[in-house]
Amino acid sequence: MRAGSEDTARTVTVVWGTAPRGERYAAHRALIHAAADATGGRAGTIRLRHRPDGRPFLTGPASGLQVSISHGRGVFAVALSGSTPVGVDVETVRPVPAEALARRWFDPAAAEAVARAPHTGRTETFFRLWTQKEAAGKAHGTGLLHGGLTRAVTPRPPGGPGGEPGPGPLSLGALPGSPHTRCGAVPVGLGRYILAVAVLVPPTDPVGVELRTTTERQPQGGRQWRPRASLPKNESGKAGHDA
């Protein structure tokens, strides 16, 4: 895979993993090493930088890649593409007021999908849709601002393997009213997390996702992860790129 190649433009590589301490460090390290693999460059020559709006980008031999980062609550994910704008989001499945949040931020079809889900699967359904909303916002470069919070998402079943924590397919479908925005979500880590990916491509172009998992060594003295509030991040509408 090389930045700017025809294959890379239609393929997204996603790497995710868990990191009880220092998930931000683990995400940055995973991104740089995945970029080195993708470009054939050396990891030591690639640097992660951020634009004024917070969006991440790479310098050095990986400067042609489109990238996205998500991390928090002991889990992280990164996504890379040769030239296709990409967004990634990963969430720990945890107790939240799923129906209330869905009524507030989801389109009617998605809110109904959450309300009609079996009680034991309602929270997972909510996070499957929420992560797609976050990933699409990152692909568009706006986060959850400028209509991102109310962007319609598709209530569809998972496109990948039932939570298996290894490589596998993740199918992407066009979002309602936005045929160039492909998005999909899948449970990973035996269902403990939901991972979503979004890309911006012409409606007729095929696109695939290569899903990998990694185990990152954490730095000595890394930040200790502690539980946060049970509401989804960026619920206030703040644009976030998890960088």
Side-chain angles (χ1 to χ4, degrees):
M1 169 168 148
R2 294 291 182 270
S5 72
E6 191 70 13
D7 287 342
T8 304
R10 292 176 175 81
T11 302
V12 177
T13 297
V14 180
V15 183
W16 78 276
T18 56
R21 299 177 63 185
E23 65 270 18
R24 186 182 184 204
Y25 168 87
H28 292 185
R29 178 178 170 86
L31 177 63
I32 288 173
H33 281 272
D37 289 343
T39 60
R42 292 189 298 110
T45 64
I46 299 172
R47 295 289 182 271
L48 173 63
R49 299 287 186 260
H50 299 92
R51 296 183 174 87
D53 62 2
R55 284 185 291 171
F57 68 97
L58 298 174
T59 64
S63 61
L65 293 177
Q66 299 278 338
V67 300
S68 183
I69 304 173
S70 180
H71 55 76
R73 297 178 177 271
V75 65
F76 65 89
V78 302
L80 309 88
S81 174
S83 61
T84 301
V86 62
V88 67
D89 190 58
V90 64
E91 294 278 358
T92 300
V93 178
R94 60 196 187 274
V96 295
E99 288 186 74
L101 289 170
R103 284 194 301 270
R104 182 175 183 184
W105 298 121
F106 289 175
D107 59 282
E112 180 67 13
V114 173
R116 295 182 62 181
H119 181 73
T120 56
R122 198 164 294 160
T123 300
E124 179 183 325
T125 301
F126 169 81
F127 278 114
R128 191 188 309 282
L129 297 169
W130 180 269
T131 53
Q132 291 183 74
K133 192 184 293 281
E134 291 251 30
K138 292 179 183 180
H140 281 275
T142 60
L144 295 180
L145 292 175
H146 308 297
L149 272 171
T150 55
R151 178 179 286 111
V153 288
T154 305
R156 54 183 292 156
E164 290 302 319
L170 193 162
S171 65
L172 306 180
L175 292 187
S178 184
H180 65 289
T181 306
R182 310 271 189 86
C183 203
V186 66
V188 294
L190 301 178
R192 292 188 294 269
Y193 315 103
I194 299 292
L195 173 67
V197 180
V199 295
L200 306 184
V201 295
T204 58
D205 283 9
V207 60
V209 179
E210 180 187 5
L211 184 59
R212 308 175 186 170
T213 187
T214 185
T215 301
E216 289 290 324
R217 295 179 59 187
Q218 300 307 306
Q220 296 248 344
R223 179 171 62 83
Q224 179 71 41
W225 170 68
R226 292 183 174 85
R228 305 178 201 164
S230 61
L231 294 178
K233 64 181 182 295
N234 290 336
E235 194 221 359
S236 64
K238 179 180 177 182
H241 298 279
D242 293 309

